Amino acid sequence: MTETLGSVPPRRRTGDEPLHWEGAAKGRLLGFWGWAYSGLAGNTLRGALAEYIVALALEAADGTRVDWDSVDIRLPGGPLVEVKSAAYLQEWSQSEPSGISFSIAPAGGWDATTGEVDAARLRRADVYVFCLLHHRDKRTLDPLDLAQWTFYVLPTHVLDRYRPDQRTVTLSSLLSLAPVRTGFPGLRGAVLEAARPDGVGRTPETQGAEAVGAGG
């Protein structure tokens, strides 16, 4: 790889940066953000927003999101976190709420810095956070209201043991694995507890059906 074709690390921007032509500002980056990224209930942006919400809870939102990294959040000296999202309500007109499922497929890895690919298909995070936008009224739907989200936290080793080759998991199937259910205030503690190397995490055997009774 030549030096001119190396990685382009994203730098955090403020929104004040101009779109310019020959030194004259023609618009602002904030305007682009508002134009392109206001549809927060859509599947693509909702997923990115869920990652940001989890990063906020983990006090890891100061940097920038790295597209196509092998995990969603890397805590310095801490666990690797994968974030998945789902919602009952979509941007389009619906005859009924959507069924809830999350992607859990093992996958190959890619290093955004070196461009190198690891073809081994596995789950590379230490912890999965399943983010459910549980609100069911489109008139008051607000993905920025953290009270409209429920979070389910599960150590990756539980998925690897009970769903080793499964590509998706429904909410009911996820609940059978005894995840920790929490709102935003308890999310950081739940993730750090799930990542403890000396703990087995909550599992169907250790927690029983009563640990997973309430759905989102």
Side-chain angles (χ1 to χ4, degrees), residues 115-145:
E116 296 180 354
V117 176
D118 181 352
R121 303 189 69 80
L122 48 86
R123 298 180 178 113
R124 300 171 188 278
D126 301 303
V127 179
Y128 272 65
V129 179
F130 300 95
C131 307
L132 175 60
L133 184 58
H134 62 250
H135 197 70
R136 292 176 182 251
D137 185 345
K138 284 196 173 183
R139 296 169 298 179
T140 54
L141 179 66
D142 180 8
L144 299 179
D145 181 355

Side-chain angles (χ1 to χ4, degrees), residues 44-90:
T44 300
L45 291 187
R46 187 189 63 241
L49 176 61
E51 291 178 28
Y52 181 66
I53 290 171
V54 175
L56 280 177
L58 297 177
E59 300 176 2
D62 291 338
T64 59
R65 182 174 184 263
V66 179
D67 284 339
W68 304 108
D69 200 356
S70 56
V71 296
D72 292 323
I73 300 173
R74 298 174 180 268
L75 295 181
L80 305 179
V81 180
E82 188 72 13
V83 179
K84 301 298 181 181
S85 78
Y88 292 107
L89 302 180
Q90 309 298 332

Side-chain angles (χ1 to χ4, degrees), residues 155 157 193-202:
H157 68 76
E193 178 65 22
R196 285 177 52 192
D198 58 341
V200 297
R202 294 163 63 101

Side-chain angles (χ1 to χ4, degrees), residues 1-8 110-117:
M1 179 184 296
T2 67
E3 182 176 348
T4 57
L5 292 178
S7 63
V8 182
W110 178 68
D111 189 312
T113 301
T114 65
E116 296 180 354
V117 176

